[in-house]
Each structure stands twice: as C-alpha cells, then as structure tokens.
C-alpha cells in the first residue's frame, strides 16, 4: 500500500502542475461555468460575500480597524478631524451596544478611551469618565431591580427558593457525602437538581 501511495503522490502533483500551467492557455477551450455561476453570472464566493451576515461582519471589522487606527493616531490628528472621527466612533459604539454587539464593559472601555483621546484637560477628563461610570452603574442598577422584580413574580423561582433553604439544611446536617464529593460540591449538585426541577417544562 505504501508503495502505491509513493507512486501516486508524484503523479497527482504532476497532473496538478500541468492543469495549473495550462489554465491560461489561449488555445484551450474555456470550461463551462458552474450551474450556480451560470444561472446569475455571480460566483458562489461573491454570493456569500453579499449576504447580510457577511456585510455585517465586514462592517464590524471596519469599525474595529477604525477604532484601533484612531487610538493609535489620535494625538497626531488635527483637532477637527479628531473630533469628527471620535463622533463617528461614538455613533458606532451606540449602534453596536444597542444591538448587543458590545457588552457594557467593552462600551465603557471604548467611551473612556475616547474621552482620554479627545479631552486634553485632566480635570474635565476625570469628570467625563466619572459621568460615564455613573451612567452605566445606574443602568446596571435598573436592570438588576427589574430582574429581581421579575424573580419575585415568578412562582417557579419562589418554589426553588423555598426548596433551596431546605436543601442547604439537609446537606449541612448530613454526615456522609456520596461519591467522594466535598460538602460544597454536593450542595452545588443538589441545588442544580432543584433548579432543573423547578424550571422543567
């Protein structure tokens, strides 16, 4: 078998080299286009690149490249250009954050970096960075309050919380932990089982 493979590999390489060398031969008839390409005159790769997902991906790559370029060159930009590019990046950050494409942490870091790149006065920088932090902290507090309110009104969560206290008491009182687990591991396992039971469809 190895002998056959040893003979076959050079043959395949030779055929591939001949095909590659002859591909632009003017006397060679043009190969018919694939059915996909012939149908609409667009190659499969071009069709793939034209999809909304590919366009979104390319747009995101451009945004990331613009941000890196801006932060690398901001100190050497003229004030007007620096301000215009910072505004454009702020709009992009708003867009991606609203769509869930940036986490709150990523957005805070970018916004803070923009302030540091565009505001020269250290006192004003500190004020604007503090305002960003306050805004995100307030937003996080509102989301947490909404989440807790939802949990208070969820009967499945309330059933789980009632069982949680019982399970903790049971595990703390037991003298033998099964399967060689630590008490903490066993407690986590039991609580996970109770969560699954409470939220089972």
């Amino acid at each position: 078998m190895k002998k056959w493979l040893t003979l076959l590999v050079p043959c395949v390489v030779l055929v591939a080299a001949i095909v590659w060398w002859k591909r632009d031969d003017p006397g060679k008839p043009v190969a018919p286009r694939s059915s996909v390409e012939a149908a609409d005159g667009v190659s499969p790769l071009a069709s793939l690149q034209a999809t909304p997902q590919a366009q979104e991906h390319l747009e995101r790559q451009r945004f990331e490249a613009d941000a890196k370029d801006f932060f690398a060159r901001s100190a050497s930009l003229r004030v007007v250009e620096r301000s215009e590019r910072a505004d454009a990046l702020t709009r992009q950050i708003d867009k991606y954050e609203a769509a869930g494409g940036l986490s709150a942490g990523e957005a805070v870091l970018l916004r803070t970096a923009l302030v540091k790149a565009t505001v020269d006065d250290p006192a004003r920088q500190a004020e604007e960075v503090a305002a960003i932090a306050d805004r995100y902290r307030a937003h996080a507090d509102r989301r947490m309050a909404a989440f807790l309110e939802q949990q208070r009104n969820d009967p499945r969560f309330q059933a789980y919380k009632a069982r949680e206290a019982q399970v903790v008491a049971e595990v703390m009182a037991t003298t033998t932990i099964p399967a060689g687990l630590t008490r903490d591991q066993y407690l986590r396992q039991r609580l996970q089982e109770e969560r699954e039971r409470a939220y089972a469809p």
Side-chain angles (χ1 to χ4, degrees):
M1 183 68 180
K2 284 185 180 177
K3 189 174 180 182
W4 278 105
L5 284 174
T6 307
L7 293 171
L8 185 60
V9 169
C11 291
V12 169
V13 171
L14 178 64
V15 169
I18 291 170
V19 168
W20 180 84
W21 183 66
K22 290 281 193 181
R23 75 189 193 286
D24 292 327
D25 186 352
K28 180 182 171 187
V30 178
R33 292 185 297 175
S34 70
S35 58
V36 173
E37 190 176 354
D40 57 9
V42 179
S43 72
L45 180 59
S47 295
L48 180 63
Q49 289 173 335
T51 62
Q53 295 86 350
Q55 293 300 313
E56 286 172 18
H57 179 69
L58 290 172
E59 190 178 320
R60 177 62 184 253
Q61 285 184 320
R62 279 192 295 270
F63 162 65
E64 291 175 0
D66 286 347
K68 285 179 186 173
D69 180 68
F70 174 78
F71 292 125
R73 297 178 51 226
S74 63
S76 64
L77 297 174
R78 288 174 299 148
V79 175
V80 173
E81 184 182 358
R82 187 170 53 193
S83 176
E84 287 173 352
R85 288 189 63 182
D87 289 345
L89 284 172
T90 299
R91 288 191 296 274
Q92 290 288 86
I93 293 167
D94 292 343
K95 173 184 148 188
Y96 283 115
E97 189 178 14
L102 282 175
S103 69
E106 291 169 322
V108 166
L109 287 175
L110 285 168
R111 292 181 196 282
T112 301
L114 280 173
V115 168
K116 291 182 177 178
T118 56
V119 177
D120 295 326
D121 178 30
R124 196 167 141 236
Q125 264 188 23
E127 286 173 10
E128 293 196 22
V129 168
I132 290 169
D134 289 344
R135 189 169 81 236
Y136 277 87
R137 194 175 302 112
H139 179 67
D141 290 346
R142 285 193 302 273
R143 288 184 63 186
M144 180 55 74
F147 173 74
L148 292 174
E149 183 63 26
Q150 178 189 359
Q151 295 289 61
R152 275 194 291 272
N153 296 324
D154 185 350
R156 294 174 301 178
F157 179 73
Q158 294 306 323
Y160 165 72
K161 291 306 279 183
R163 274 295 293 150
E164 180 184 52
Q166 295 169 357
V167 168
V168 170
E170 289 169 15
V171 170
M172 291 302 138
T174 191
T175 54
T176 56
I177 307 295
L181 298 171
T182 67
R183 192 174 299 276
D184 285 345
Q185 290 170 332
Y186 182 51
L187 177 59
R188 280 196 297 273
Q189 179 182 315
R190 289 283 309 276
L191 291 175
Q192 179 61 33
E193 289 168 1
E194 289 300 327
R195 278 192 292 275
E196 289 172 3
R197 192 172 295 118
Y199 287 94

